[in-house]
Amino acid sequence: MLTNLNAQPVDKIMALMAQYREDPREGKIDLGVGVYKNAQGVTPVMRAVKAAEKVLWEIEGTKSYTGLAGDPAFGQALSGLVLGDSVASDRLACAAQPGGTGAIHQAVELIKMASPDATIWLSNPTWPNHPSIIKHLGMKMADYRYFDNDSRAVDFDGMMADLAGAKAGDVVLLHGCCHNPTGANLTLPQWKEVAALLEKTGATPMIDIAYQGFGDGLEEDAAGTRLIASSLPEVLIAASCSKNFGIYRERTGLLMAISDNAGQTGTTQQNLTHLNRQNFSFPPDHGARLVTMILEDEGLRADWMDELESVRKGMLGLREQLAGELQKQAGSDRFGFVAEHRGMFSRLGATPEQVERLRVEHGIYMVGDSRLNIAGLNAETVPVLAEAIVAVGI
Ligand code: LMR
């Protein structure tokens, strides 16, 4: 039986991680996978997470099963962080998931059950695992224009023109903030226009929010998602705690489904629970419990917000330093977009050959579409990167 299996396409981000690990060169620079690193190149356990783990070790008296949708307190705490009071709680169904990827997978399964002929619209470009999961689940997809490679900004006119083709029953996948892979984001007035267009077409928005707090701040980064949640009848939201709580390997995420009216919410919730049962029964609990403890405790929450804010400001500082260094070394301000982009990533707009030269000649690793992870830099490596970018002619 197993001999019938064919080789699967390689995940580019995962392959790059392996390639970097195997590179023996000292001074190699990893700007690949979207993992936050401090100036020492370490992905630290956040202070509030450590503190919550200590308390949990003391008070946790059982590791028996939670609910199929996870602990309801987690759903309440994380949906509160993402949605604020933008939507009435009786319209909201949630189920804990193994990470943001788990939430996306489950959302696509839910779409398949509710609207099997749906086309799922994806920004061009998007996180490569989006189309991969959709294809795996046998759903149709289409691209909408998103990134203008010349200005390195959002091609908003192109986006709106393409999304006008979405139909009722279709789903439009949007990045809540910190667009991956480009770093180019919608403004709030643009979110409003998107919301109005979706309402007109009848397509359902699905929002992937994996970097809340990494862009302009926790509240600011949720503003687009909240606007959509408060203005459209049905919304799906996949939230991840991997990055903003730094708990990547704990696999902590939440799928939220907003129904048109409170009368529908019970059935929506029951379907989310059913899907969990079919796929893995109970979602992982450790990370979800830590997040709940942090969000519910005033002191832990304040400390977490404080540390997250310094992470965010550190990345902004690196962006400004890199833009400045590139201006100096290239003698032009064509790289000003690096300081305008938000979140972990920026797309440089380089050719695959230039990206390859950065790796081969300079030991600098970034994804082949020229996405760089700004958090992989520090004050010393910024000039090294700027010099290499200029040397390969980007
Ligand atoms: C990334 O885009 O690098 C991250 O979201 C990690 C991943 O799973 O791809």
Side-chain angles (χ1 to χ4, degrees):
M1 174 193 78
L2 297 180
T3 52
N4 293 330
L5 293 173
N6 295 315
Q8 295 298 329
V10 177
D11 183 297
K12 291 192 184 88
I13 300 174
M14 298 298 119
L16 193 74
M17 272 172 92
Q19 216 176 11
Y20 175 79
R21 263 199 304 268
E22 282 156 22
D23 188 334
R25 282 177 286 182
E26 267 189 41
K28 60 185 178 176
I29 301 175
D30 177 16
L31 309 178
V33 68
V35 170
Y36 170 75
K37 283 182 256 167
N38 63 19
Q40 288 73 44
V42 175
T43 305
V45 182
M46 293 179 87
R47 294 187 303 263
V49 169
K50 271 280 185 214
E53 278 185 319
K54 204 166 171 188
V55 174
L56 187 58
W57 188 81
E58 293 286 348
I59 65 170
E60 189 170 55
T62 180
K63 289 213 183 265
S64 179
Y65 293 127
T66 53
L68 280 174
D71 183 347
F74 169 64
Q76 214 179 331
L78 192 60
S79 64
L81 184 77
V82 175
L83 294 170
D85 57 9
S86 60
V87 69
S89 59
D90 61 4
R91 287 179 52 212
L92 179 66
C94 335
Q97 302 296 329
T101 308
I104 290 160
H105 179 102
Q106 212 74 313
V108 178
E109 284 220 41
L110 191 76
I111 296 164
K112 193 172 177 173
M113 284 161 71
S115 183
D117 291 326
T119 294
I120 304 179
W121 291 75
L122 302 175
S123 67
N124 182 6
T126 192
W127 183 49
N129 216 16
H130 284 151
S132 181
I133 290 170
I134 295 166
K135 182 170 170 241
H136 177 67
L137 291 173
M139 295 294 287
K140 284 187 289 212
M141 55 191 143
D143 280 356
Y144 60 86
R145 274 170 282 172
Y146 186 80
F147 190 65
D148 175 8
N149 219 40
D150 293 330
S151 63
R152 271 80 154 179
V154 176
D155 173 7
F156 191 64
D157 291 342
M159 174 178 180
M160 292 296 278
D162 290 349
L163 286 185
K167 300 191 173 50
D170 284 355
V171 173
V172 173
L173 179 48
L174 301 157
H175 297 224
C177 61
C178 307
H179 186 267
N180 179 6
T182 68
N185 297 295
L186 298 178
T187 62
L188 205 51
Q190 289 173 334
W191 275 104
K192 279 192 189 138
E193 286 189 49
V194 171
L197 180 63
L198 291 174
E199 192 164 16
K200 200 167 132 203
T201 59
T204 303
M206 168 176 163
I207 300 179
D208 178 1
I209 182 158
Y211 296 88
Q212 188 184 352
F214 272 35
D216 290 310
L218 272 174
E219 297 297 307
E220 293 83 348
D221 291 349
T225 304
R226 290 176 187 177
L227 188 124
I228 294 276
S230 66
S231 50
L232 283 154
E234 293 184 344
V235 187
L236 298 174
I237 302 159
S240 167
C241 299
S242 298
K243 330 272 163 153
N244 53 5
F245 286 85
I247 49 173
Y248 304 82
R249 64 176 65 166
E250 301 298 352
R251 310 313 299 139
T252 308
L254 185 72
L255 174 59
M256 292 165 257
I258 299 170
S259 299
D260 189 13
N261 58 69
Q264 170 61 36
T265 308
T267 309
T268 307
Q269 181 65 57
Q270 205 248 336
N271 277 269
L272 293 186
T273 306
H274 170 79
L275 277 175
N276 274 13
R277 182 63 170 156
Q278 304 322 302
N279 282 319
F280 44 75
S281 279
F282 299 86
D285 180 70
H286 185 73
R289 200 154 292 273
L290 299 174
V291 167
T292 311
M293 289 169 75
I294 293 167
L295 293 177
E296 284 181 348
D297 181 279
E298 215 181 304
L300 288 177
R301 186 180 177 120
D303 189 44
W304 167 70
M305 284 172 65
D306 198 48
E307 191 170 355
L308 180 60
E309 193 58 6
S310 31
V311 162
R312 185 180 79 80
K313 288 201 174 129
M315 288 191 290
L316 274 184
L318 287 167
R319 285 188 177 282
E320 272 157 27
Q321 193 195 345
L322 180 60
E325 196 64 42
L326 281 164
Q327 190 188 38
K328 205 167 78 191
Q329 298 207 26
S332 114
D333 54 13
R334 68 178 189 277
F335 293 103
F337 65 86
V338 173
E340 302 301 318
H341 288 167
R342 284 294 179 273
M344 246 183 180
F345 308 117
S346 269
R347 182 184 255 210
L348 278 182
T351 63
E353 293 72 29
Q354 288 166 327
V355 173
E356 183 66 0
R357 280 186 64 198
L358 285 174
R359 186 181 70 77
V360 174
E361 295 170 24
H362 301 272
I364 296 173
Y365 285 71
M366 63 181 71
V367 183
D369 64 359
S370 73
R371 181 193 84 168
L372 67 90
N373 172 10
I374 214 82
L377 292 166
N378 61 33
E380 280 76 53
T381 53
V382 164
V384 179
L385 172 65
E387 204 179 322
I389 286 175
V390 174
V392 302
I394 298 170

